[in-house]
Short mmCIF file of all heavy atoms in Angstrom, two decimals:
data_model
loop_
_atom_site.label_atom_id
_atom_site.label_comp_id
_atom_site.label_asym_id
_atom_site.label_seq_id
_atom_site.Cartn_x
_atom_site.Cartn_y
_atom_site.Cartn_z
N MET A 1 6.40 38.27 8.21
CA MET A 1 6.30 39.64 7.72
C MET A 1 5.25 39.67 6.62
O MET A 1 5.17 38.78 5.79
CB MET A 1 7.67 40.09 7.20
CG MET A 1 7.74 41.57 6.92
SD MET A 1 9.30 42.21 6.25
CE MET A 1 10.54 41.49 7.23
N SER A 2 4.47 40.74 6.60
CA SER A 2 3.40 40.84 5.62
C SER A 2 3.97 41.15 4.23
O SER A 2 5.10 41.61 4.09
CB SER A 2 2.41 41.93 6.03
OG SER A 2 3.04 43.19 5.94
N GLU A 3 3.18 40.89 3.23
CA GLU A 3 3.60 41.13 1.84
C GLU A 3 3.98 42.59 1.58
O GLU A 3 5.01 42.85 0.95
CB GLU A 3 2.50 40.67 0.88
CG GLU A 3 2.84 40.86 -0.59
CD GLU A 3 4.09 40.10 -1.02
OE1 GLU A 3 4.39 39.05 -0.41
OE2 GLU A 3 4.78 40.56 -1.96
N PRO A 4 3.20 43.58 2.06
CA PRO A 4 3.61 44.97 1.84
C PRO A 4 4.98 45.28 2.46
O PRO A 4 5.79 45.99 1.87
CB PRO A 4 2.51 45.79 2.50
CG PRO A 4 1.32 44.90 2.48
CD PRO A 4 1.86 43.51 2.66
N LEU A 5 5.24 44.73 3.64
CA LEU A 5 6.55 44.96 4.27
C LEU A 5 7.67 44.30 3.48
O LEU A 5 8.76 44.84 3.37
CB LEU A 5 6.55 44.46 5.71
CG LEU A 5 5.73 45.29 6.69
CD1 LEU A 5 5.75 44.67 8.07
CD2 LEU A 5 6.23 46.71 6.74
N HIS A 6 7.41 43.12 2.93
CA HIS A 6 8.41 42.47 2.08
C HIS A 6 8.72 43.33 0.86
O HIS A 6 9.89 43.47 0.47
CB HIS A 6 7.91 41.09 1.61
CG HIS A 6 8.13 40.01 2.61
ND1 HIS A 6 9.36 39.50 2.92
CD2 HIS A 6 7.26 39.33 3.39
CE1 HIS A 6 9.25 38.55 3.82
NE2 HIS A 6 7.97 38.44 4.13
N ARG A 7 7.69 43.92 0.26
CA ARG A 7 7.92 44.76 -0.92
C ARG A 7 8.71 46.01 -0.57
O ARG A 7 9.60 46.42 -1.31
CB ARG A 7 6.58 45.14 -1.57
CG ARG A 7 5.94 43.94 -2.28
CD ARG A 7 4.71 44.35 -3.01
NE ARG A 7 3.69 44.63 -2.00
CZ ARG A 7 2.48 45.06 -2.24
NH1 ARG A 7 2.09 45.31 -3.47
NH2 ARG A 7 1.62 45.27 -1.28
N ILE A 8 8.42 46.61 0.59
CA ILE A 8 9.18 47.78 1.02
C ILE A 8 10.63 47.40 1.28
O ILE A 8 11.56 48.10 0.85
CB ILE A 8 8.55 48.42 2.27
CG1 ILE A 8 7.19 49.03 1.92
CG2 ILE A 8 9.47 49.47 2.87
CD1 ILE A 8 6.38 49.44 3.13
N ALA A 9 10.85 46.29 1.97
CA ALA A 9 12.21 45.84 2.27
C ALA A 9 12.99 45.57 0.99
O ALA A 9 14.17 45.92 0.87
CB ALA A 9 12.18 44.61 3.16
N ASP A 10 12.35 44.94 0.02
CA ASP A 10 13.01 44.68 -1.27
C ASP A 10 13.33 45.97 -2.00
O ASP A 10 14.37 46.09 -2.63
CB ASP A 10 12.12 43.79 -2.15
CG ASP A 10 12.01 42.37 -1.64
OD1 ASP A 10 12.88 41.96 -0.83
OD2 ASP A 10 11.06 41.67 -2.04
N ALA A 11 12.43 46.96 -1.89
CA ALA A 11 12.63 48.22 -2.61
C ALA A 11 13.79 49.02 -2.05
O ALA A 11 14.49 49.71 -2.79
CB ALA A 11 11.35 49.05 -2.57
N VAL A 12 14.01 48.95 -0.76
CA VAL A 12 15.08 49.75 -0.16
C VAL A 12 16.36 48.97 0.13
O VAL A 12 17.32 49.52 0.65
CB VAL A 12 14.60 50.44 1.15
CG1 VAL A 12 13.45 51.38 0.89
CG2 VAL A 12 14.26 49.42 2.20
N ALA A 13 16.39 47.70 -0.25
CA ALA A 13 17.55 46.86 0.04
C ALA A 13 18.82 47.38 -0.61
O ALA A 13 19.90 47.28 -0.04
CB ALA A 13 17.27 45.43 -0.39
N ASP A 14 18.73 47.94 -1.79
CA ASP A 14 19.92 48.37 -2.53
C ASP A 14 20.08 49.88 -2.56
O ASP A 14 20.85 50.39 -3.37
CB ASP A 14 19.86 47.82 -3.96
CG ASP A 14 19.87 46.30 -3.99
OD1 ASP A 14 20.56 45.71 -3.13
OD2 ASP A 14 19.20 45.71 -4.85
N VAL A 15 19.40 50.60 -1.69
CA VAL A 15 19.48 52.06 -1.69
C VAL A 15 20.79 52.48 -1.02
O VAL A 15 21.11 52.03 0.08
CB VAL A 15 18.28 52.67 -0.95
CG1 VAL A 15 18.42 54.16 -0.80
CG2 VAL A 15 16.99 52.33 -1.68
N THR A 16 21.53 53.33 -1.68
CA THR A 16 22.77 53.84 -1.10
C THR A 16 22.45 55.05 -0.21
O THR A 16 21.36 55.62 -0.28
CB THR A 16 23.76 54.28 -2.19
OG1 THR A 16 23.19 55.38 -2.90
CG2 THR A 16 24.06 53.15 -3.15
N GLU A 17 23.41 55.44 0.60
CA GLU A 17 23.21 56.60 1.46
C GLU A 17 22.98 57.86 0.63
O GLU A 17 22.13 58.69 0.97
CB GLU A 17 24.42 56.80 2.37
CG GLU A 17 24.24 57.92 3.37
CD GLU A 17 25.40 58.05 4.33
OE1 GLU A 17 26.26 57.17 4.37
OE2 GLU A 17 25.42 59.06 5.05
N ALA A 18 23.71 58.00 -0.47
CA ALA A 18 23.54 59.17 -1.33
C ALA A 18 22.13 59.21 -1.91
O ALA A 18 21.51 60.28 -1.99
CB ALA A 18 24.58 59.15 -2.45
N ASP A 19 21.62 58.05 -2.32
CA ASP A 19 20.25 58.00 -2.85
C ASP A 19 19.23 58.37 -1.76
O ASP A 19 18.27 59.08 -2.02
CB ASP A 19 19.93 56.60 -3.38
CG ASP A 19 20.70 56.27 -4.65
OD1 ASP A 19 21.19 57.21 -5.32
OD2 ASP A 19 20.81 55.07 -4.97
N ALA A 20 19.47 57.88 -0.55
CA ALA A 20 18.56 58.18 0.55
C ALA A 20 18.56 59.68 0.85
O ALA A 20 17.51 60.27 1.08
CB ALA A 20 18.95 57.40 1.80
N VAL A 21 19.75 60.31 0.81
CA VAL A 21 19.84 61.75 1.04
C VAL A 21 19.08 62.51 -0.03
O VAL A 21 18.36 63.46 0.26
CB VAL A 21 21.32 62.20 1.10
CG1 VAL A 21 21.44 63.71 1.06
CG2 VAL A 21 21.99 61.65 2.34
N THR A 22 19.22 62.08 -1.27
CA THR A 22 18.52 62.73 -2.38
C THR A 22 17.01 62.65 -2.20
O THR A 22 16.30 63.64 -2.35
CB THR A 22 18.93 62.10 -3.72
OG1 THR A 22 20.34 62.20 -3.86
CG2 THR A 22 18.23 62.75 -4.88
N VAL A 23 16.53 61.46 -1.86
CA VAL A 23 15.09 61.27 -1.68
C VAL A 23 14.58 62.10 -0.50
O VAL A 23 13.57 62.80 -0.61
CB VAL A 23 14.76 59.78 -1.46
CG1 VAL A 23 13.32 59.60 -1.01
CG2 VAL A 23 15.02 58.99 -2.73
N LEU A 24 15.30 62.03 0.63
CA LEU A 24 14.84 62.79 1.80
C LEU A 24 14.91 64.29 1.56
O LEU A 24 14.04 65.03 2.02
CB LEU A 24 15.67 62.40 3.03
CG LEU A 24 15.46 60.97 3.52
CD1 LEU A 24 16.44 60.63 4.62
CD2 LEU A 24 14.03 60.75 3.98
N SER A 25 15.91 64.73 0.83
CA SER A 25 16.01 66.15 0.50
C SER A 25 14.85 66.60 -0.36
O SER A 25 14.28 67.68 -0.17
CB SER A 25 17.33 66.45 -0.21
OG SER A 25 18.41 66.20 0.64
N SER A 26 14.48 65.75 -1.31
CA SER A 26 13.36 66.11 -2.19
C SER A 26 12.04 66.10 -1.42
O SER A 26 11.09 66.76 -1.83
CB SER A 26 13.29 65.15 -3.38
OG SER A 26 12.93 63.85 -2.94
N LEU A 27 11.99 65.39 -0.30
CA LEU A 27 10.77 65.36 0.51
C LEU A 27 10.74 66.48 1.55
O LEU A 27 9.81 66.56 2.33
CB LEU A 27 10.64 64.00 1.21
CG LEU A 27 10.39 62.81 0.30
CD1 LEU A 27 10.44 61.53 1.10
CD2 LEU A 27 9.06 62.96 -0.41
N GLY A 28 11.78 67.31 1.58
CA GLY A 28 11.76 68.46 2.47
C GLY A 28 12.70 68.37 3.64
O GLY A 28 12.65 69.22 4.52
N LEU A 29 13.54 67.36 3.71
CA LEU A 29 14.51 67.28 4.80
C LEU A 29 15.51 68.41 4.65
O LEU A 29 16.05 68.65 3.58
CB LEU A 29 15.25 65.93 4.76
CG LEU A 29 16.32 65.73 5.81
CD1 LEU A 29 15.68 65.57 7.19
CD2 LEU A 29 17.18 64.55 5.49
N GLN A 30 15.77 69.12 5.71
CA GLN A 30 16.70 70.24 5.68
C GLN A 30 18.01 69.82 6.33
O GLN A 30 18.03 69.36 7.46
CB GLN A 30 16.12 71.44 6.42
CG GLN A 30 14.84 71.95 5.81
CD GLN A 30 14.21 73.02 6.67
OE1 GLN A 30 14.71 73.36 7.73
NE2 GLN A 30 13.09 73.55 6.22
N LYS A 31 19.12 69.98 5.59
CA LYS A 31 20.42 69.59 6.13
C LYS A 31 20.84 70.48 7.27
O LYS A 31 21.54 70.05 8.17
CB LYS A 31 21.48 69.64 5.02
CG LYS A 31 21.34 68.56 4.01
CD LYS A 31 22.46 68.62 3.00
CE LYS A 31 22.33 67.53 1.97
NZ LYS A 31 23.39 67.56 0.99
N ASP A 32 20.43 71.74 7.24
CA ASP A 32 20.87 72.67 8.27
C ASP A 32 19.92 72.73 9.47
O ASP A 32 20.04 73.59 10.31
CB ASP A 32 21.05 74.07 7.69
CG ASP A 32 19.77 74.61 7.07
OD1 ASP A 32 18.82 73.83 6.86
OD2 ASP A 32 19.72 75.82 6.79
N ARG A 33 19.00 71.79 9.55
CA ARG A 33 18.05 71.76 10.65
C ARG A 33 18.80 71.48 11.95
O ARG A 33 19.66 70.62 12.02
CB ARG A 33 17.01 70.68 10.42
CG ARG A 33 15.99 70.58 11.55
CD ARG A 33 14.97 69.54 11.29
NE ARG A 33 14.08 70.02 10.26
CZ ARG A 33 13.09 69.31 9.76
NH1 ARG A 33 12.90 68.09 10.16
NH2 ARG A 33 12.31 69.82 8.84
N GLN A 34 18.45 72.23 12.98
CA GLN A 34 19.09 72.05 14.27
C GLN A 34 18.57 70.77 14.92
O GLN A 34 17.37 70.49 14.86
CB GLN A 34 18.79 73.25 15.18
CG GLN A 34 19.35 74.56 14.68
CD GLN A 34 20.87 74.55 14.66
OE1 GLN A 34 21.49 73.98 15.54
NE2 GLN A 34 21.45 75.17 13.66
N PRO A 35 19.45 70.01 15.54
CA PRO A 35 18.98 68.80 16.23
C PRO A 35 18.08 69.18 17.40
O PRO A 35 18.22 70.26 17.98
CB PRO A 35 20.26 68.12 16.72
CG PRO A 35 21.30 69.18 16.70
CD PRO A 35 20.88 70.19 15.67
N THR A 36 17.18 68.29 17.73
CA THR A 36 16.28 68.56 18.85
C THR A 36 17.08 68.58 20.14
O THR A 36 18.11 67.91 20.27
CB THR A 36 15.18 67.50 18.94
OG1 THR A 36 15.80 66.22 19.08
CG2 THR A 36 14.30 67.51 17.71
N LYS A 37 16.61 69.36 21.09
CA LYS A 37 17.30 69.44 22.36
C LYS A 37 17.11 68.14 23.13
O LYS A 37 16.04 67.54 23.10
CB LYS A 37 16.75 70.60 23.19
CG LYS A 37 17.05 71.95 22.60
CD LYS A 37 16.53 73.05 23.50
CE LYS A 37 16.82 74.41 22.90
NZ LYS A 37 16.31 75.50 23.74
N LYS A 38 18.17 67.73 23.81
CA LYS A 38 18.08 66.53 24.64
C LYS A 38 17.28 66.85 25.88
O LYS A 38 17.36 67.94 26.43
CB LYS A 38 19.47 66.05 25.03
CG LYS A 38 20.24 65.46 23.88
CD LYS A 38 21.52 64.84 24.38
CE LYS A 38 22.25 64.18 23.23
NZ LYS A 38 23.45 63.48 23.69
N ALA A 39 16.51 65.89 26.31
CA ALA A 39 15.72 66.05 27.52
C ALA A 39 16.66 66.07 28.72
O ALA A 39 17.67 65.37 28.75
CB ALA A 39 14.73 64.91 27.65
N LEU A 40 16.33 66.89 29.70
CA LEU A 40 17.12 66.94 30.92
C LEU A 40 16.98 65.62 31.67
O LEU A 40 15.90 65.02 31.70
CB LEU A 40 16.66 68.10 31.79
CG LEU A 40 16.86 69.49 31.20
CD1 LEU A 40 16.28 70.54 32.14
CD2 LEU A 40 18.33 69.76 30.97
N ARG A 41 18.09 65.19 32.22
CA ARG A 41 18.07 63.93 32.96
C ARG A 41 18.55 64.18 34.38
O ARG A 41 19.38 65.03 34.63
CB ARG A 41 19.00 62.92 32.29
CG ARG A 41 18.53 62.56 30.89
CD ARG A 41 19.50 61.69 30.18
NE ARG A 41 19.77 60.49 30.94
CZ ARG A 41 20.44 59.46 30.48
NH1 ARG A 41 20.91 59.49 29.27
NH2 ARG A 41 20.67 58.41 31.22
N THR A 42 18.02 63.41 35.30
CA THR A 42 18.46 63.50 36.68
C THR A 42 19.86 62.91 36.77
O THR A 42 20.09 61.79 36.32
CB THR A 42 17.51 62.71 37.60
OG1 THR A 42 16.18 63.21 37.42
CG2 THR A 42 17.92 62.82 39.05
N PRO A 43 20.82 63.65 37.34
CA PRO A 43 22.18 63.14 37.41
C PRO A 43 22.30 61.99 38.40
O PRO A 43 21.53 61.88 39.35
CB PRO A 43 22.99 64.35 37.88
CG PRO A 43 22.01 65.19 38.61
CD PRO A 43 20.69 64.97 37.92
N LEU A 44 23.27 61.13 38.15
CA LEU A 44 23.55 60.04 39.07
C LEU A 44 24.26 60.61 40.30
O LEU A 44 24.93 61.63 40.22
CB LEU A 44 24.45 59.00 38.41
CG LEU A 44 23.83 58.25 37.24
CD1 LEU A 44 24.88 57.39 36.55
CD2 LEU A 44 22.68 57.39 37.72
N PRO A 45 24.12 59.94 41.43
CA PRO A 45 24.83 60.43 42.62
C PRO A 45 26.33 60.27 42.42
O PRO A 45 26.77 59.41 41.67
CB PRO A 45 24.31 59.53 43.74
CG PRO A 45 23.78 58.32 43.07
CD PRO A 45 23.33 58.75 41.71
N PRO A 46 27.12 61.09 43.08
CA PRO A 46 28.56 60.98 42.93
C PRO A 46 29.06 59.66 43.49
O PRO A 46 28.42 59.06 44.36
CB PRO A 46 29.09 62.18 43.73
CG PRO A 46 28.00 62.53 44.68
CD PRO A 46 26.73 62.14 44.01
N PRO A 47 30.21 59.18 43.03
CA PRO A 47 30.77 57.93 43.55
C PRO A 47 31.00 58.04 45.06
O PRO A 47 31.43 59.07 45.57
CB PRO A 47 32.10 57.79 42.81
CG PRO A 47 31.99 58.68 41.62
CD PRO A 47 31.04 59.77 41.98
N GLY A 48 30.69 56.99 45.76
CA GLY A 48 30.89 56.98 47.20
C GLY A 48 29.77 57.63 47.98
O GLY A 48 29.86 57.76 49.19
N ALA A 49 28.72 58.05 47.31
CA ALA A 49 27.59 58.68 48.00
C ALA A 49 26.86 57.63 48.83
O ALA A 49 26.83 56.45 48.47
CB ALA A 49 26.64 59.31 46.99
N PRO A 50 26.29 58.02 49.93
CA PRO A 50 25.57 57.05 50.75
C PRO A 50 24.38 56.46 49.98
O PRO A 50 23.71 57.16 49.22
CB PRO A 50 25.10 57.86 51.96
CG PRO A 50 25.23 59.29 51.57
CD PRO A 50 26.24 59.36 50.47
N LEU A 51 24.16 55.20 50.19
CA LEU A 51 23.09 54.51 49.47
C LEU A 51 21.88 54.32 50.38
O LEU A 51 21.42 53.21 50.60
CB LEU A 51 23.59 53.16 48.94
CG LEU A 51 24.77 53.24 47.98
CD1 LEU A 51 25.24 51.85 47.59
CD2 LEU A 51 24.38 54.02 46.74
N ASP A 52 21.35 55.40 50.90
CA ASP A 52 20.21 55.31 51.81
C ASP A 52 18.88 55.49 51.07
O ASP A 52 17.90 55.89 51.66
CB ASP A 52 20.35 56.33 52.93
CG ASP A 52 20.45 57.76 52.40
OD1 ASP A 52 20.60 57.92 51.19
OD2 ASP A 52 20.38 58.70 53.22
N VAL A 53 18.87 55.16 49.80
CA VAL A 53 17.65 55.27 49.01
C VAL A 53 16.91 53.95 49.10
O VAL A 53 17.49 52.88 48.96
CB VAL A 53 18.00 55.58 47.53
CG1 VAL A 53 16.73 55.61 46.70
CG2 VAL A 53 18.75 56.88 47.43
N SER A 54 15.63 54.03 49.37
CA SER A 54 14.82 52.81 49.44
C SER A 54 13.75 52.85 48.36
O SER A 54 13.42 53.91 47.83
CB SER A 54 14.19 52.67 50.83
OG SER A 54 13.28 53.75 51.02
N SER A 55 13.23 51.70 48.05
CA SER A 55 12.21 51.60 47.03
C SER A 55 11.12 50.68 47.51
O SER A 55 11.36 49.67 48.16
CB SER A 55 12.83 51.06 45.73
OG SER A 55 11.83 50.85 44.77
N ASP A 56 9.88 51.03 47.16
CA ASP A 56 8.74 50.20 47.54
C ASP A 56 8.31 49.31 46.36
O ASP A 56 7.22 48.76 46.39
CB ASP A 56 7.57 51.05 47.97
CG ASP A 56 7.85 51.78 49.28
OD1 ASP A 56 8.64 51.25 50.07
OD2 ASP A 56 7.29 52.87 49.48
N VAL A 57 9.17 49.16 45.36
CA VAL A 57 8.83 48.35 44.20
C VAL A 57 8.98 46.88 44.56
O VAL A 57 9.97 46.47 45.16
CB VAL A 57 9.75 48.70 43.01
CG1 VAL A 57 9.48 47.78 41.84
CG2 VAL A 57 9.57 50.14 42.63
N GLU A 58 8.00 46.10 44.19
CA GLU A 58 8.06 44.67 44.42
C GLU A 58 8.31 43.98 43.10
O GLU A 58 7.54 44.11 42.16
CB GLU A 58 6.75 44.17 45.03
CG GLU A 58 6.73 42.69 45.27
CD GLU A 58 5.39 42.22 45.83
OE1 GLU A 58 4.63 43.05 46.34
OE2 GLU A 58 5.13 41.02 45.73
N TRP A 59 9.41 43.27 43.01
CA TRP A 59 9.74 42.54 41.78
C TRP A 59 8.97 41.24 41.78
O TRP A 59 8.96 40.49 42.74
CB TRP A 59 11.24 42.26 41.70
CG TRP A 59 12.01 43.52 41.56
CD1 TRP A 59 12.61 44.23 42.53
CD2 TRP A 59 12.24 44.25 40.36
NE1 TRP A 59 13.20 45.36 42.03
CE2 TRP A 59 12.99 45.39 40.69
CE3 TRP A 59 11.87 44.06 39.02
CZ2 TRP A 59 13.39 46.32 39.74
CZ3 TRP A 59 12.28 44.98 38.09
CH2 TRP A 59 13.01 46.09 38.44
N VAL A 60 8.30 40.98 40.69
CA VAL A 60 7.47 39.77 40.59
C VAL A 60 8.13 38.78 39.68
O VAL A 60 8.69 39.11 38.68
CB VAL A 60 6.06 40.12 40.06
CG1 VAL A 60 5.21 38.89 39.97
CG2 VAL A 60 5.44 41.18 40.94
#
């Protein structure tokens, strides 16, 4: 690990959660910010569905 990373790790080693909240709040973090929407995902097939899916992927 580089020296700058060591200094950062040492600086935040003893930071409590309350201290982190205070710092992030002072930097503009909003507590009431809405979480980002989850990306839509393709659903898995139902249990017992036929497994007639093929793939042309070659494992090396």
Side-chain angles (χ1 to χ4, degrees):
M1 191 181 314
S2 67
E3 181 59 29
L5 289 177
H6 277 289
R7 288 185 289 178
I8 292 169
D10 290 341
V12 298
D14 297 324
V15 174
T16 65
E17 184 176 350
D19 291 341
V21 168
T22 302
V23 169
L24 293 173
S25 296
S26 68
L27 293 174
L29 178 71
Q30 299 173 358
K31 289 183 180 180
D32 59 346
R33 179 179 286 177
Q34 296 295 324
T36 58
K37 293 183 180 179
K38 289 187 176 184
L40 296 176
R41 297 174 56 170
T42 304
L44 294 173
L51 300 176
D52 59 350
V53 176
S54 64
S55 175
D56 293 332
V57 175
E58 178 182 342
W59 294 97
V60 180

